[in-house]
Amino acid sequence: MSTTAVASDVVDGVDPDILDRSNAALATVGLDPLGLGTSASFEVHDPATEEVIARPADYTPDQALLALDRADRAGADWARKTPRHRSDVLHRAYDLIIEQRDRLAYVITREMGKPLAEAYGEVQYAADYVRWYAEEAVRPAGNYRESPRGGSTILTSRAPVGTALLITPWNFPMAMATRKIAPAIAVGCGAVVKPAALTPLTTLVVAEIFVQAGVPDDLVQVVTTSKASPLSTALLADPRVRKVSFTGSTGVGSTLLTLAAHNVVKSSMELGGNAPLLVFDDADLERAVEGALVAKLRNGGQSCVAANRILVQDGIADAFVEGFTERMSQVVMGNPLGDVQLGPVIDDRAVANFRGWVDDAVARGAELRAGGSAPDGPGHFFEATVLDRVPESAAIAQEEIFGPVASIARFATEDEGVARANSTPFGLASYVFTADVDRALDVADRLDAGMVGINHGIVSNVAAPFGGIKASGLGREGSSEGLEEYQEIRFYNVARRS
């Protein structure tokens, strides 16, 4: 099995020992998971330095179908294992992830660019999904009820849906993988996993750990590719694929749903967002500032649930903007292996988008309060940026920002704030900051969103059903609902003696 080649130059501002350990972690990644010895490969870059850190196999659709064949055959055997056996394997996988958290965190940081402390946080978050579904595996759902008309008993049970195609994004390469793989394993499904071409390395390590824990070699097949569309098209055309789970853009999700319709494939889609964060006059100012900072800058803003539009009521707006700008101005940016709070964004296209949106907003009357530019030198960096009084006509008020640029607008009344928040085709996450419990719950009920954070800048939790409405997708991940996405309901009508 081939391994990665790593550049050895010491990066300014980074402890050489940490750099050496991250290089060592990268060198353990197997880059040909199907074991085909393929000569085709593509480059994976460190977004902080733009160095090539790996060249994984670039598999073709035909090779992906070979992986599907393996996963489908292994899944049939795995489905016959007891829930307790599958649970025990997942518990071992959790323990191994924690044991190997250093290796995983270094790989995440090098291929995705998030600060090392955040990478460790993602490792724990990802591991928690594995533990959660280890526990859910031994709680099979079912029901027993009498027919209302009498004469029979109705029994319901759940069965694995079948082989799953799991397509993961680049921004949380480990957590989004385990959030899909763990429930599939828990219920007895085989899986073909297609990681993002920008960040495939973490998924390769995760799959290896599952095998170490006792998951059959062929059950989870990782197919790396630089050409996602032909591969997904081929897999979804195969009737053995009975489930597709995708996290990514609404445009791609819509295309996948069209492909899935041909074979009526069970689908869950976690798609784009345009999250509003509402700050009302009665909010605790410090809590609102800190909550908005977390909701905006977690993962460098590269999150589908990041606060995309910060909407502040007039009475608190000036104080909020002042406090929020001060906090954003204190954010330290740099190589994510160093002591920083903000690493690079994923690529130069993102940097170009931020530049364009900031310039457009300022030209339309917005006030640039902090940041607004990209530093010279290698790496895809953009400063923590604050724009105040952003008009609705500005492009940044309509687009999913996916980066460290905060767009702030003002509103006068509760009704206006809610209307502004809902003026989008998306409905993934929203945030509300207020000291009034009645207002908090009333506004939450009125928001078009699958998830609402109330006085809290984070909505993600393994025990909660993660997902959106409208153009933000369908289905849920996490919680018991996430397990149901990989199951079919079966019903038996049992005749009774009269």
Side-chain angles (χ1 to χ4, degrees):
M1 188 173 289
S2 59
T3 55
T4 184
V6 183
S8 59
D9 294 340
V10 175
V11 179
D12 290 343
V14 176
D15 185 330
D17 180 59
I18 290 177
L19 185 62
D20 287 345
R21 279 186 279 167
S22 72
N23 285 342
L26 288 171
T28 67
V29 182
L31 301 179
D32 181 15
L34 302 187
L36 299 177
T38 180
S39 60
S41 64
F42 61 95
E43 296 180 346
V44 177
H45 297 85
D46 181 337
T49 64
E50 302 182 54
E51 296 171 308
V52 177
I53 57 173
R55 291 182 174 86
D58 198 356
Y59 292 120
T60 66
D62 286 343
Q63 291 166 331
L65 291 172
L66 172 62
L68 171 60
D69 185 62
R70 294 174 179 175
D72 190 63
R73 284 187 285 107
D77 292 335
W78 185 247
R80 290 190 287 269
K81 300 294 184 183
T82 66
R84 174 58 64 196
H85 176 79
R86 296 195 295 266
S87 174
D88 288 345
V89 168
L90 286 171
H91 275 298
R92 285 197 294 273
Y94 173 85
D95 292 338
L96 287 170
I97 287 170
I98 299 304
E99 288 175 14
Q100 299 183 41
R101 59 184 176 272
D102 291 347
R103 176 193 183 198
L104 287 158
Y106 287 133
V107 173
I108 291 170
T109 291
R110 290 299 296 279
E111 70 170 344
M112 187 268 150
K114 68 181 64 182
L116 195 55
E118 285 199 44
Y120 275 103
E122 182 178 348
V123 172
Q124 185 63 60
Y125 180 46
D128 285 344
Y129 277 111
V130 176
R131 179 168 57 182
W132 176 266
Y133 285 112
E135 295 163 348
E136 286 292 301
V138 292
R139 300 170 187 155
N143 200 288
Y144 176 104
R145 70 189 81 163
E146 293 299 318
S147 168
R149 298 182 62 181
S152 67
T153 297
I154 296 170
L155 305 179
T156 64
S157 66
R158 296 185 185 273
V161 68
T163 306
L165 170 60
L166 311 178
I167 305 174
T168 60
W170 54 262
N171 57 333
F172 287 91
M174 185 175 178
M176 298 304 95
T178 61
R179 194 160 78 180
K180 299 176 191 299
I181 297 170
I185 290 174
V187 303
C189 295
V192 176
V193 186
K194 204 248 14 120
L198 291 166
T199 58
L201 308 181
T202 305
T203 306
L204 294 171
V205 178
V206 168
E208 174 197 316
I209 289 174
F210 277 125
V211 171
Q212 292 172 4
V215 171
D217 288 351
D218 288 345
L219 189 70
V220 178
Q221 295 281 296
V222 178
V223 181
T224 53
T225 184
S226 65
K227 305 175 187 66
S229 181
L231 189 143
S232 299
T233 299
L235 288 170
L236 285 171
D238 193 302
R240 291 173 295 181
V241 172
R242 300 310 312 148
K243 164 72 182 179
V244 60
S245 177
F246 169 72
T247 299
S249 72
T250 298
V252 174
S254 179
T255 298
L256 291 171
L257 283 170
T258 301
L259 294 171
H262 178 72
N263 287 324
V264 196
V265 174
K266 188 169 186 176
S267 305
S268 53
M269 300 278 148
E270 196 262 284
L271 307 178
N274 191 356
L277 186 147
L278 291 159
V279 181
F280 288 95
D281 283 344
D282 63 350
D284 180 303
L285 180 61
E286 182 177 353
R287 192 177 200 180
V289 167
E290 292 303 316
L293 188 77
V294 171
K296 178 70 259 182
L297 278 193
R298 181 179 179 229
N299 207 41
Q302 298 172 114
S303 168
C304 54
V305 295
N308 211 54
R309 296 167 295 143
I310 300 176
L311 307 173
V312 190
Q313 198 165 16
D314 289 334
I316 198 174
D318 288 343
F320 174 86
V321 171
E322 181 179 349
F324 184 72
T325 300
E326 181 180 0
R327 292 289 285 111
M328 289 282 277
S329 299
Q330 295 169 352
V331 170
V332 178
M333 179 177 68
N335 190 289
L337 291 174
D339 186 15
V340 301
Q341 291 84 52
L342 180 62
V345 294
I346 194 63
D347 57 25
D348 274 340
R349 290 176 299 174
V351 174
N353 284 339
F354 304 147
R355 282 193 179 114
W357 288 333
V358 169
D359 291 345
D360 171 74
V362 171
R364 294 175 184 271
E367 300 174 7
L368 180 62
R369 301 294 298 264
S373 63
D376 294 330
H380 314 303
F381 291 91
F382 200 85
E383 296 175 314
T385 299
V386 180
L387 290 164
D388 188 20
R389 300 183 186 275
V390 175
E392 288 188 82
S393 61
I396 200 169
Q398 309 298 326
E399 301 286 345
E400 185 175 18
I401 299 169
F402 234 70
V405 182
S407 170
I408 302 175
R410 319 286 184 103
F411 67 91
T413 66
E414 180 179 307
D415 287 345
E416 180 191 352
V418 171
R420 292 278 296 275
N422 287 338
S423 62
T424 172
F426 300 98
L428 188 58
S430 295
Y431 303 88
V432 177
F433 285 84
T434 174
D436 186 327
V437 174
D438 288 336
R439 167 183 270 173
L441 295 176
D442 179 61
V443 170
D445 285 344
R446 295 169 65 192
L447 291 172
D448 295 337
M451 302 172 285
V452 181
I454 298 176
N455 293 322
H456 203 311
I458 296 177
V459 293
S460 303
N461 190 301
V462 298
F466 189 103
I469 61 175
K470 296 168 40 178
S472 289
L474 49 88
R476 293 296 182 267
E477 294 185 308
S479 189
S480 58
E481 290 88 347
L483 198 71
E484 294 166 7
E485 296 287 340
Y486 295 85
Q487 295 174 312
E488 298 283 16
I489 297 174
R490 294 183 177 181
F491 146 60
Y492 310 98
N493 195 20
V494 183
R496 303 297 297 272
R497 295 177 181 175
S498 58

